[in-house]
Amino acid sequence: MFKAARPFFLIVETPLHAGCGSDLGAIDLPIQREKHTGIPKIEASGLKGCLREAFEGLSETPNGSLPEPLVQEFPALKEKSKLKEAINLAFGPEEGELYAGALGFTDARLLLFPVRSMRGVFGWVTCPAIISRFFHELRIAGIKNELQVPPANTVPRGCGLMVDSEHLILEEYTLVVKEDATCTYLAKWLAGTLFPGSEYEYWCAKMQKDLVVLADDDFRDFVNLSTEVITRTKIDPKTGTVQEGALFTEEYLPQESILYSLVLASPVFNANKGIFASGEERAVLTFWQKGLPEFLQLGGNATIGKGIVRLKVLEED
Protein backbone atom coordinates (compact mmCIF):
# COMPACT_ATOMS: atom_id res chain seq x y z
CA MET A 1 0.00 0.00 0.00
CA PHE A 2 1.35 3.41 -0.94
CA LYS A 3 2.10 5.86 1.87
CA ALA A 4 2.67 9.05 -0.14
CA ALA A 5 1.56 10.30 -3.54
CA ARG A 6 2.18 13.24 -5.83
CA PRO A 7 0.26 14.28 -8.99
CA PHE A 8 2.17 15.34 -12.07
CA PHE A 9 1.17 16.56 -15.52
CA LEU A 10 2.32 15.51 -18.97
CA ILE A 11 2.07 18.32 -21.54
CA VAL A 12 2.38 16.82 -25.03
CA GLU A 13 4.95 18.75 -27.09
CA THR A 14 4.91 16.54 -30.20
CA PRO A 15 2.17 14.09 -31.32
CA LEU A 16 2.20 11.00 -29.11
CA HIS A 17 1.48 7.40 -30.11
CA ALA A 18 1.03 5.16 -27.08
CA GLY A 19 -0.19 2.22 -29.09
CA CYS A 20 -2.30 -0.81 -28.24
CA GLY A 21 -1.20 -3.01 -31.15
CA SER A 22 -2.97 -3.61 -34.44
CA ASP A 23 -6.74 -3.35 -34.81
CA LEU A 24 -9.45 -4.42 -37.23
CA GLY A 25 -11.13 -0.99 -37.18
CA ALA A 26 -10.65 2.00 -39.47
CA ILE A 27 -7.23 2.75 -37.92
CA ASP A 28 -4.54 0.08 -38.19
CA LEU A 29 -2.52 1.24 -35.16
CA PRO A 30 -4.81 3.01 -32.65
CA ILE A 31 -3.80 4.60 -29.36
CA GLN A 32 -4.56 3.24 -25.90
CA ARG A 33 -8.02 4.07 -24.56
CA GLU A 34 -10.05 3.37 -21.46
CA LYS A 35 -12.34 0.41 -22.09
CA HIS A 36 -15.43 1.88 -20.40
CA THR A 37 -15.21 5.46 -21.73
CA GLY A 38 -13.11 5.32 -24.92
CA ILE A 39 -11.03 8.25 -23.62
CA PRO A 40 -7.28 8.15 -24.50
CA LYS A 41 -4.78 7.19 -21.81
CA ILE A 42 -1.19 6.00 -21.38
CA GLU A 43 -0.68 2.73 -19.54
CA ALA A 44 1.23 3.06 -16.27
CA SER A 45 3.69 0.32 -17.28
CA GLY A 46 4.88 2.29 -20.30
CA LEU A 47 5.11 5.50 -18.29
CA LYS A 48 7.13 3.81 -15.53
CA GLY A 49 9.51 2.23 -18.03
CA CYS A 50 10.25 5.56 -19.73
CA LEU A 51 10.82 7.27 -16.38
CA ARG A 52 13.18 4.52 -15.28
CA GLU A 53 15.13 4.88 -18.53
CA ALA A 54 15.41 8.63 -17.91
CA PHE A 55 16.84 8.03 -14.42
CA GLU A 56 19.28 5.45 -15.72
CA GLY A 57 20.50 8.06 -18.18
CA LEU A 58 21.28 10.60 -15.45
CA SER A 59 24.89 9.42 -15.21
CA GLU A 60 25.28 9.58 -18.99
CA THR A 61 24.90 13.36 -19.31
CA PRO A 62 27.63 15.13 -21.35
CA ASN A 63 29.54 16.23 -18.25
CA GLY A 64 28.59 13.16 -16.23
CA SER A 65 27.05 15.20 -13.43
CA LEU A 66 23.72 14.56 -11.72
CA PRO A 67 21.08 17.28 -11.28
CA GLU A 68 22.25 19.64 -8.52
CA PRO A 69 19.00 19.46 -6.48
CA LEU A 70 19.30 15.66 -6.43
CA VAL A 71 22.92 15.68 -5.23
CA GLN A 72 22.16 18.30 -2.58
CA GLU A 73 19.39 16.10 -1.20
CA PHE A 74 21.36 12.83 -1.50
CA PRO A 75 25.15 13.50 -1.47
CA ALA A 76 25.88 9.75 -1.51
CA LEU A 77 24.71 9.62 -5.14
CA LYS A 78 28.05 11.02 -6.24
CA GLU A 79 29.10 7.36 -6.21
CA LYS A 80 27.83 5.76 -9.42
CA SER A 81 27.06 2.48 -7.65
CA LYS A 82 24.78 4.31 -5.21
CA LEU A 83 22.74 5.76 -8.07
CA LYS A 84 22.20 2.31 -9.59
CA GLU A 85 21.22 0.93 -6.19
CA ALA A 86 18.77 3.80 -5.61
CA ILE A 87 17.15 3.26 -9.05
CA ASN A 88 16.70 -0.45 -8.31
CA LEU A 89 15.18 0.28 -4.89
CA ALA A 90 12.85 2.91 -6.34
CA PHE A 91 11.79 1.24 -9.60
CA GLY A 92 12.55 -2.39 -8.80
CA PRO A 93 15.44 -4.60 -9.98
CA GLU A 94 15.44 -5.26 -13.72
CA GLU A 95 16.69 -8.82 -13.36
CA GLY A 96 14.87 -11.31 -11.18
CA GLU A 97 12.05 -10.75 -8.73
CA LEU A 98 14.02 -10.11 -5.57
CA TYR A 99 11.72 -7.33 -4.36
CA ALA A 100 9.20 -4.82 -5.66
CA GLY A 101 10.09 -1.21 -6.40
CA ALA A 102 9.01 1.48 -3.95
CA LEU A 103 7.54 3.65 -6.73
CA GLY A 104 4.26 3.02 -8.48
CA PHE A 105 2.31 4.99 -11.09
CA THR A 106 -1.29 5.28 -12.19
CA ASP A 107 -2.30 5.37 -15.85
CA ALA A 108 -1.84 8.83 -17.36
CA ARG A 109 -5.39 10.14 -17.89
CA LEU A 110 -6.48 12.82 -20.33
CA LEU A 111 -7.42 16.15 -18.70
CA LEU A 112 -7.45 18.68 -21.57
CA PHE A 113 -7.76 17.95 -25.29
CA PRO A 114 -6.89 20.51 -28.01
CA VAL A 115 -9.49 21.11 -30.73
CA ARG A 116 -9.32 23.35 -33.81
CA SER A 117 -11.38 26.52 -33.43
CA MET A 118 -12.79 29.06 -35.90
CA ARG A 119 -11.39 31.82 -33.65
CA GLY A 120 -8.20 31.66 -31.61
CA VAL A 121 -6.68 28.78 -33.68
CA PHE A 122 -7.52 26.12 -31.07
CA GLY A 123 -8.93 25.70 -27.60
CA TRP A 124 -8.63 23.09 -24.86
CA VAL A 125 -11.78 21.10 -24.14
CA THR A 126 -12.72 19.06 -21.08
CA CYS A 127 -15.96 18.06 -19.36
CA PRO A 128 -17.48 17.77 -15.85
CA ALA A 129 -16.83 14.00 -15.68
CA ILE A 130 -13.11 14.41 -16.42
CA ILE A 131 -12.70 17.34 -14.02
CA SER A 132 -14.57 15.49 -11.24
CA ARG A 133 -12.28 12.48 -11.62
CA PHE A 134 -9.22 14.72 -11.59
CA PHE A 135 -10.32 16.36 -8.33
CA HIS A 136 -11.01 12.92 -6.84
CA GLU A 137 -7.49 11.74 -7.68
CA LEU A 138 -6.05 14.89 -6.13
CA ARG A 139 -7.81 13.87 -2.92
CA ILE A 140 -6.27 10.39 -3.20
CA ALA A 141 -2.90 12.15 -3.20
CA GLY A 142 -3.93 14.11 -0.11
CA ILE A 143 -4.25 17.44 -1.95
CA LYS A 144 -7.17 19.66 -1.05
CA ASN A 145 -8.17 22.80 -2.91
CA GLU A 146 -11.14 25.10 -3.30
CA LEU A 147 -11.71 24.33 -6.97
CA GLN A 148 -15.21 23.41 -8.10
CA VAL A 149 -16.47 21.59 -11.18
CA PRO A 150 -17.82 24.07 -13.76
CA PRO A 151 -21.15 23.29 -15.43
CA ALA A 152 -21.19 21.99 -18.99
CA ASN A 153 -21.05 24.39 -21.95
CA THR A 154 -19.16 27.13 -20.13
CA VAL A 155 -16.06 29.20 -20.88
CA PRO A 156 -13.92 31.68 -18.89
CA ARG A 157 -14.63 35.39 -18.95
CA GLY A 158 -13.11 37.02 -22.03
CA CYS A 159 -12.90 33.72 -23.97
CA GLY A 160 -10.93 34.22 -27.19
CA LEU A 161 -12.79 31.51 -29.10
CA MET A 162 -16.19 33.19 -29.35
CA VAL A 163 -17.57 34.09 -32.78
CA ASP A 164 -20.35 36.14 -31.15
CA SER A 165 -21.74 36.70 -27.67
CA GLU A 166 -22.86 33.09 -27.13
CA HIS A 167 -21.42 30.84 -29.87
CA LEU A 168 -18.08 29.25 -30.69
CA ILE A 169 -17.14 26.86 -33.50
CA LEU A 170 -14.95 23.82 -32.81
CA GLU A 171 -14.04 21.79 -35.90
CA GLU A 172 -17.34 22.03 -37.89
CA TYR A 173 -19.60 22.17 -34.83
CA THR A 174 -21.29 25.32 -33.53
CA LEU A 175 -21.78 25.27 -29.77
CA VAL A 176 -23.79 27.51 -27.48
CA VAL A 177 -21.79 28.43 -24.37
CA LYS A 178 -21.82 31.02 -21.61
CA GLU A 179 -19.22 32.64 -19.41
CA ASP A 180 -18.95 31.19 -15.91
CA ALA A 181 -17.05 32.29 -12.80
CA THR A 182 -16.20 28.71 -11.79
CA CYS A 183 -14.75 28.01 -15.23
CA THR A 184 -12.79 31.28 -15.07
CA TYR A 185 -11.25 30.28 -11.72
CA LEU A 186 -10.38 26.79 -12.96
CA ALA A 187 -8.75 28.15 -16.13
CA LYS A 188 -6.67 30.57 -14.07
CA TRP A 189 -5.54 27.78 -11.71
CA LEU A 190 -4.60 25.49 -14.61
CA ALA A 191 -2.69 28.28 -16.36
CA GLY A 192 -0.63 29.07 -13.26
CA THR A 193 0.01 25.39 -12.55
CA LEU A 194 0.88 24.18 -16.06
CA PHE A 195 2.63 27.24 -17.48
CA PRO A 196 4.62 29.01 -14.74
CA GLY A 197 7.37 31.47 -15.51
CA SER A 198 7.92 34.09 -18.18
CA GLU A 199 8.95 31.54 -20.85
CA TYR A 200 5.36 30.27 -20.95
CA GLU A 201 3.70 33.70 -20.84
CA TYR A 202 1.80 33.20 -24.11
CA TRP A 203 0.50 29.76 -23.13
CA CYS A 204 -0.46 30.91 -19.66
CA ALA A 205 -2.55 33.75 -21.13
CA LYS A 206 -4.14 31.42 -23.70
CA MET A 207 -5.11 28.83 -21.09
CA GLN A 208 -6.84 31.49 -18.99
CA LYS A 209 -9.22 32.41 -21.82
CA ASP A 210 -9.38 29.43 -24.23
CA LEU A 211 -10.69 26.62 -22.01
CA VAL A 212 -14.09 25.10 -22.89
CA VAL A 213 -16.05 22.81 -20.55
CA LEU A 214 -18.24 20.68 -22.81
CA ALA A 215 -21.03 18.25 -22.03
CA ASP A 216 -19.65 14.77 -21.26
CA ASP A 217 -21.00 13.23 -24.49
CA ASP A 218 -19.61 16.05 -26.64
CA PHE A 219 -16.16 15.65 -25.07
CA ARG A 220 -16.23 11.90 -25.72
CA ASP A 221 -17.09 12.54 -29.37
CA PHE A 222 -14.22 15.01 -29.85
CA VAL A 223 -11.58 12.69 -28.32
CA ASN A 224 -12.82 9.88 -30.57
CA LEU A 225 -13.13 11.85 -33.80
CA SER A 226 -10.47 14.59 -33.54
CA THR A 227 -7.27 12.70 -32.81
CA GLU A 228 -4.45 12.91 -35.36
CA VAL A 229 -4.45 10.05 -37.88
CA ILE A 230 -1.45 9.70 -40.19
CA THR A 231 -1.12 7.43 -43.22
CA ARG A 232 2.36 5.93 -43.55
CA THR A 233 3.96 4.05 -46.41
CA LYS A 234 7.17 2.25 -47.30
CA ILE A 235 8.51 2.68 -50.83
CA ASP A 236 9.99 -0.32 -52.62
CA PRO A 237 13.41 0.90 -53.87
CA LYS A 238 13.22 -1.37 -56.91
CA THR A 239 9.83 -0.24 -58.23
CA GLY A 240 9.52 3.24 -56.67
CA THR A 241 5.98 2.38 -55.57
CA VAL A 242 4.43 1.48 -52.24
CA GLN A 243 5.69 -1.87 -51.03
CA GLU A 244 2.95 -4.49 -50.73
CA GLY A 245 1.39 -4.50 -47.26
CA ALA A 246 3.30 -1.35 -46.23
CA LEU A 247 0.43 1.16 -46.33
CA PHE A 248 -1.04 1.71 -42.86
CA THR A 249 -2.59 4.33 -40.60
CA GLU A 250 -1.41 5.42 -37.14
CA GLU A 251 -3.32 7.38 -34.51
CA TYR A 252 -1.69 10.06 -32.35
CA LEU A 253 -2.72 12.10 -29.36
CA PRO A 254 -2.31 15.65 -30.73
CA GLN A 255 0.28 18.17 -29.64
CA GLU A 256 -0.91 20.40 -26.74
CA SER A 257 -2.88 17.54 -25.12
CA ILE A 258 -2.52 17.54 -21.34
CA LEU A 259 -2.62 14.41 -19.18
CA TYR A 260 -1.98 13.71 -15.52
CA SER A 261 -0.83 10.77 -13.40
CA LEU A 262 -0.05 9.98 -9.77
CA VAL A 263 3.31 8.75 -8.56
CA LEU A 264 2.82 6.49 -5.53
CA ALA A 265 5.58 5.87 -2.97
CA SER A 266 5.77 2.95 -0.55
CA PRO A 267 8.40 1.95 2.04
CA VAL A 268 11.41 0.23 0.45
CA PHE A 269 10.78 -3.51 -0.01
CA ASN A 270 14.33 -4.53 0.86
CA ALA A 271 16.34 -4.89 4.06
CA ASN A 272 19.00 -2.66 2.53
CA LYS A 273 17.33 0.76 2.39
CA GLY A 274 20.30 2.46 0.73
CA ILE A 275 19.95 6.24 0.54
CA PHE A 276 16.30 5.92 1.61
CA ALA A 277 17.04 4.73 5.15
CA SER A 278 15.62 7.94 6.61
CA GLY A 279 12.02 8.70 5.82
CA GLU A 280 11.69 5.84 3.32
CA GLU A 281 8.56 6.65 1.24
CA ARG A 282 9.07 10.42 1.53
CA ALA A 283 12.74 9.98 0.62
CA VAL A 284 11.79 7.86 -2.40
CA LEU A 285 9.31 10.50 -3.53
CA THR A 286 11.94 13.23 -3.11
CA PHE A 287 14.47 11.19 -5.10
CA TRP A 288 11.96 10.87 -7.96
CA GLN A 289 10.98 14.54 -7.93
CA LYS A 290 14.53 15.95 -7.68
CA GLY A 291 15.82 13.70 -10.44
CA LEU A 292 12.83 14.09 -12.76
CA PRO A 293 13.79 15.49 -16.19
CA GLU A 294 11.83 18.40 -17.62
CA PHE A 295 11.23 16.54 -20.89
CA LEU A 296 10.61 12.88 -21.62
CA GLN A 297 9.93 10.83 -24.75
CA LEU A 298 7.01 8.39 -24.59
CA GLY A 299 5.43 5.94 -26.99
CA GLY A 300 6.41 4.92 -30.48
CA ASN A 301 8.29 6.56 -33.38
CA ALA A 302 10.87 8.32 -31.23
CA THR A 303 13.27 8.49 -34.19
CA ILE A 304 10.89 10.80 -36.08
CA GLY A 305 10.44 13.12 -33.12
CA LYS A 306 7.16 11.81 -31.77
CA GLY A 307 6.14 11.53 -28.13
CA ILE A 308 8.06 14.39 -26.50
CA VAL A 309 6.27 15.52 -23.35
CA ARG A 310 7.03 18.14 -20.70
CA LEU A 311 6.65 17.00 -17.09
CA LYS A 312 5.29 19.29 -14.39
CA VAL A 313 4.85 18.16 -10.78
CA LEU A 314 1.97 19.64 -8.83
CA GLU A 315 3.69 21.27 -5.88
CA GLU A 316 2.26 21.32 -2.37
CA ASP A 317 0.80 24.66 -1.30
Side-chain angles (χ1 to χ4, degrees):
M1 178 66 181
F2 71 93
K3 301 295 183 182
R6 174 68 42 207
F8 65 102
F9 297 96
L10 299 92
I11 298 95
V12 178
E13 300 286 351
T14 61
L16 191 155
H17 176 78
C20 62
S22 59
D23 192 79
L24 297 177
I27 300 172
D28 298 313
L29 299 174
I31 58 176
Q32 297 166 4
R33 293 178 180 272
E34 296 173 355
K35 182 67 175 178
H36 64 302
T37 65
I39 294 172
K41 67 170 183 175
I42 300 173
E43 287 284 349
S45 56
L47 180 58
K48 182 179 180 181
C50 287
L51 285 167
R52 181 191 181 109
E53 183 181 22
F55 272 79
E56 289 177 341
L58 287 176
S59 59
E60 300 172 5
T61 54
N63 57 7
S65 61
L66 299 176
E68 189 61 31
L70 185 61
V71 175
Q72 288 180 352
E73 195 73 37
F74 303 101
L77 290 178
K78 292 178 181 178
E79 296 181 34
K80 195 171 184 178
S81 61
K82 291 291 184 181
L83 175 62
K84 184 176 181 180
E85 179 188 68
I87 291 172
N88 285 336
L89 291 172
F91 290 92
E94 282 209 300
E95 298 180 2
E97 298 179 358
L98 301 175
Y99 53 87
L103 284 177
F105 298 86
T106 64
D107 293 344
R109 304 185 189 277
L110 185 64
L111 178 61
L112 304 175
F113 185 76
V115 177
R116 179 165 51 91
S117 173
M118 178 69 75
R119 295 283 302 275
V121 184
F122 79 94
W124 286 280
V125 301
T126 186
C127 68
I130 293 296
I131 299 170
S132 297
R133 183 166 62 178
F134 172 59
F135 290 170
H136 175 67
E137 297 200 23
L138 290 185
R139 289 193 292 273
I140 292 176
I143 294 178
K144 298 179 181 179
N145 57 52
E146 298 179 355
L147 296 171
Q148 296 179 343
V149 180
N153 300 315
T154 57
V155 294
R157 290 193 184 99
C159 179
L161 308 176
M162 306 296 291
V163 295
D164 60 31
S165 60
E166 57 181 22
H167 294 91
L168 54 78
I169 301 175
L170 299 177
E171 298 285 359
E172 64 268 35
Y173 302 102
T174 301
L175 303 171
V176 179
V177 296
K178 62 180 179 180
E179 294 183 348
D180 178 78
T182 307
C183 185
T184 302
Y185 187 68
L186 175 63
K188 184 176 180 180
W189 182 84
L190 287 169
T193 302
L194 297 169
F195 302 110
S198 58
E199 67 268 32
Y200 297 110
E201 184 177 351
Y202 169 82
W203 297 106
C204 182
K206 183 172 180 61
M207 175 65 73
Q208 291 186 57
K209 58 187 178 67
D210 289 349
L211 176 69
V212 184
V213 180
L214 300 173
D216 295 341
D217 289 346
D218 291 340
F219 178 79
R220 180 199 58 202
D221 291 343
F222 274 115
V223 300
N224 276 282
L225 300 174
S226 297
T227 53
E228 195 169 318
V229 179
I230 297 175
T231 300
R232 298 188 61 188
T233 64
K234 182 179 180 181
I235 303 299
D236 188 325
K238 294 180 180 180
T239 64
T241 60
V242 176
Q243 186 171 309
E244 184 177 354
L247 178 66
F248 60 95
T249 54
E250 281 183 327
E251 186 179 23
Y252 288 85
L253 201 58
Q255 186 172 333
E256 319 304 348
S257 299
I258 296 173
L259 305 95
Y260 69 93
S261 175
L262 299 182
V263 55
L264 312 171
S266 305
V268 175
F269 294 102
N270 191 16
N272 173 24
K273 309 297 183 182
I275 63 171
F276 307 126
S278 176
E280 291 204 40
E281 64 272 6
R282 285 292 175 185
V284 171
L285 202 56
T286 300
F287 169 76
W288 173 82
Q289 188 168 346
K290 298 294 185 182
L292 192 68
E294 183 179 5
F295 295 97
L296 189 71
Q297 201 159 17
L298 286 169
N301 298 320
T303 59
I304 53 174
K306 306 298 186 183
I308 298 175
V309 300
R310 178 170 64 88
L311 303 177
K312 178 68 176 69
V313 179
L314 180 58
E315 304 288 350
E316 291 184 282
D317 292 333

